[in-house]
Amino acid sequence: MSNGINNETNNRTSIALYSVKVKRQMSVILLAIIGLYIYTSIATESSLIDFIDGWSGFERVAKDLFPPNWSYAPQVWEYLAETIQMAIIATTFAALASIPIFLLSAANLFPSKWVHQPVRFIMNVLRTIPDILLAVIFVGIFGVGVFPGIMALFIFSLGILAKLMYETIEAIDTNPLEAIRASGGNTLQVIWYAVMPQVLPQFVSFGLYVFEVNVRASVVLGFVGAGGVGLLLQQQVSFFNYPRVMTIILIIFIAVVIIDYISNKIRERLV
């Protein structure tokens, strides 16, 4: 009986001590977050007060956006189609070009670090360059139009697909690979009969995901002259024609929702 009382007392004591410790840790974390916020607010000269001061401007722009000018909608469809076409071309060519790259990047297919490490390094360099910077560079090289946007999206997609796919290959079941190698199969036979059947659904799924990302990214790239509906949006924003801007935003939103829905349904059937 006395042992039971002692155990209960010890448990309560340990719970109480643990609770105090947790409270102290949470207090330290909270103080650290507040301190970090104050430091960054001072360093960037921005705070919630700026947001409150600018609220009247937000209300003014929000009122100017409504109602949308739906008579302008027919002029948007052509540019929206151009944006989707940019995403389709860039994603398709990036998916095809990424196949040899992600195969060479997979350590379980090419164990030598002199093979997969240089390829990964080049892909890491490509991924560190923002897509909008790529668009600015290609606009400077090729001029304003759709082609610089396609080039920027192609390189952007190549880096993403290569990384997603070589990580997928390195996580597959290696027993079929070893079985083909043990029976005298070469690397191409291992890739064709053991690797591709396992990763093909993920490859298609990642391709669809990158296509969705490219549709959104191509809208932003239009602001730097890379074509598509983003270029039209940039023109209307610069003219302060907010009813037309709202029309373009709503049409882009509807298109993205439809693309997301179709893409998700396809991915659900594949994976």
Side-chain angles (χ1 to χ4, degrees), residues 74-89:
Q75 300 181 47
V76 181
W77 297 119
E78 180 184 353
Y79 287 90
L80 180 65
E82 192 175 82
T83 296
I84 296 173
Q85 289 161 2
M86 287 169 57
I88 290 173
I89 295 171

Side-chain angles (χ1 to χ4, degrees), residues 66 68 70 76-77 80-81 83-84 212 215-219 229-230 233 244-262:
F66 292 95
W70 290 111
V76 181
W77 297 119
L80 180 65
T83 296
I84 296 173
E212 294 173 28
V215 171
R216 298 186 184 95
S218 58
V219 175
V229 74
L233 188 61
R244 287 187 175 184
V245 170
M246 194 59 194
T247 304
I248 298 170
I249 291 172
L250 289 175
I251 289 175
I252 293 172
F253 172 75
I254 294 169
V256 169
V257 169
I258 293 172
I259 291 171
D260 280 353
Y261 178 78
I262 296 172

Side-chain angles (χ1 to χ4, degrees), residues 90-108:
T91 307
T92 303
F93 281 93
L96 294 174
S98 70
I99 294 174
I101 295 172
F102 66 67
L103 290 174
L104 290 171
S105 301
N108 53 350

Side-chain angles (χ1 to χ4, degrees), residues 95-227:
L96 294 174
S98 70
I99 294 174
I101 295 172
F102 66 67
L103 290 174
L104 290 171
S105 301
N108 53 350
L109 288 178
F110 297 92
S112 173
K113 64 180 182 180
W114 299 106
V115 176
H116 65 263
Q117 288 294 352
V119 181
R120 291 187 186 185
F121 176 75
I122 295 171
M123 289 298 104
N124 288 337
V125 171
L126 290 181
R127 278 198 306 276
T128 57
I129 304 173
D131 53 348
I132 194 163
L133 178 59
L134 290 170
V136 171
I137 293 172
F138 287 122
V139 166
I141 296 172
F142 300 106
V144 175
V146 175
F147 188 71
I150 293 174
M151 290 296 296
L153 291 176
F154 169 77
I155 294 177
F156 174 71
S157 307
L158 194 63
I160 294 177
L161 280 171
K163 179 175 177 58
L164 291 174
M165 283 308 299
Y166 86 70
E167 289 179 347
T168 301
I169 291 174
E170 290 181 347
I172 63 175
D173 181 11
T174 56
N175 289 330
L177 282 71
E178 294 171 358
I180 293 176
R181 283 171 177 157
S183 60
N186 56 34
T187 303
L188 286 177
Q189 290 171 323
V190 169
I191 292 171
W192 185 255
Y193 292 108
V195 176
M196 294 310 292
Q198 293 191 65
V199 301
L200 192 58
Q202 285 84 359
F203 179 57
V204 177
S205 176
F206 290 146
L208 290 170
Y209 169 72
V210 171
F211 171 68
E212 294 173 28
V213 173
N214 281 341
V215 171
R216 298 186 184 95
S218 58
V219 175
V220 179
L221 299 185
F223 273 75
V224 295

Side-chain angles (χ1 to χ4, degrees), residues 27-39:
S27 299
V28 171
I29 293 172
L30 181 61
L31 289 174
I33 292 173
I34 293 173
L36 184 63
Y37 170 76
I38 294 172
Y39 169 74

